[in-house]
Amino acid sequence: MPSAQRPTDTEDGEQRVPQGHEHDAKVEELLIRSADGDQEAFAGVYDALVGSVLGLTRRILRDAAQAEEVTQDVMIEVWRTADRYRSERGTARTWVLTLAHRRAVDRVRAAQASADRERRAAMLSSARSFDEVAETVEGRDEYRRVYRCLGGLAPVHRVPLVLAYYEGLTCLEVAQSLSTPTGTVKSRMRAGLRRLRACLEGGS
């Protein structure tokens, strides 16, 4: 079998393989043979496309280590699912890069979801840190009464108010932190403020 076309290095370090109909046809042939378990054919697919996959994942992830990890995952997926390739839907290169794009975007979304969870947890923890707030206003009766009245509110009313007035978040940011519709957050904050006002006016 003729050896697969080898990638060349570009100035930015990304490996690229000369493209063209003949090259695409060759990669497609190798990919189809890979679907039958031909490891040598898959080695040709790997050599031909790994540079392009790495370049794409680097652009999306902007992290070399993660890009290399995702690239290896993609190439393993290509080996395992080569039988799913359909030439009538596009070239082998397009199919592989589509897999790479999906994997890289999934990694970005997973990282963002993790960061959002950590942010929500940090924000919610402020609802349990009234002692710290009380310490900063110790000696001032008005603020101590606010603290006591806040502590008497139900969590659904107290938490949005704490995030808004102690953490400085906007209503939209509070809604995003709590994964709650903005309208619901506004309603809870209005109800919380009414109850807080009633508590303060009652001299609690």
Side-chain angles (χ1 to χ4, degrees), residues 35-74:
D36 293 327
D38 188 330
Q39 296 185 19
E40 185 177 357
F42 174 69
V45 173
Y46 187 99
D47 285 348
L49 299 180
V50 69
S52 296
V53 171
L54 182 58
L56 176 62
T57 56
R58 276 178 177 170
R59 286 193 293 275
I60 295 174
L61 295 168
R62 301 183 182 280
D63 181 280
Q66 287 197 57
E68 290 175 3
E69 182 179 333
V70 170
T71 294
Q72 293 307 312
D73 289 343
V74 169

Side-chain angles (χ1 to χ4, degrees), residues 20-198:
H21 293 300
E22 182 178 348
H23 174 265
D24 287 344
K26 183 61 177 178
V27 175
E28 179 178 328
E29 175 193 340
L30 292 171
L31 184 59
I32 292 172
R33 287 167 51 192
S34 298
D36 293 327
D38 188 330
Q39 296 185 19
E40 185 177 357
F42 174 69
V45 173
Y46 187 99
D47 285 348
L49 299 180
V50 69
S52 296
V53 171
L54 182 58
L56 176 62
T57 56
R58 276 178 177 170
R59 286 193 293 275
I60 295 174
L61 295 168
R62 301 183 182 280
D63 181 280
Q66 287 197 57
E68 290 175 3
E69 182 179 333
V70 170
T71 294
Q72 293 307 312
D73 289 343
V74 169
M75 300 314 294
I76 291 172
E77 183 178 1
V78 170
W79 167 248
R80 291 176 175 172
T81 64
D83 59 336
R84 298 180 188 174
Y85 167 66
R86 298 293 180 268
S87 59
E88 63 271 17
R89 298 180 182 176
T91 65
R93 171 185 168 82
T94 298
W95 181 71
V96 171
L97 290 181
T98 298
L99 294 179
H101 184 272
R102 185 180 304 125
R103 281 263 185 170
V105 169
D106 286 347
R107 177 66 67 92
V108 171
R109 288 173 176 168
Q112 183 61 51
S114 177
D116 288 345
R117 285 194 299 271
E118 291 178 2
R119 183 169 180 266
R120 286 197 295 271
M123 293 303 179
L124 288 171
S125 69
S126 65
R128 298 188 295 271
S129 62
F130 282 99
D131 287 341
E132 297 176 9
V133 175
E135 288 174 3
T136 65
V137 297
E138 187 173 5
R140 300 172 64 179
D141 291 341
E142 181 180 353
Y143 284 100
R144 283 203 297 270
R145 286 197 300 119
V146 170
Y147 166 72
R148 287 197 298 271
C149 288
L150 273 173
L153 296 178
V156 294
H157 299 129
R158 182 176 70 242
V159 173
L161 293 178
V162 170
L163 294 179
Y165 293 102
Y166 285 106
E167 298 295 332
L169 272 64
T170 65
C171 188
L172 177 59
E173 290 171 334
V174 171
Q176 292 173 339
S177 297
L178 300 177
S179 297
T180 303
T182 304
T184 300
V185 168
K186 288 181 178 179
S187 297
R188 291 175 178 176
M189 290 179 69
R190 284 195 294 268
L193 286 171
R194 285 196 300 269
R195 294 173 186 180
L196 181 61
R197 186 179 300 112

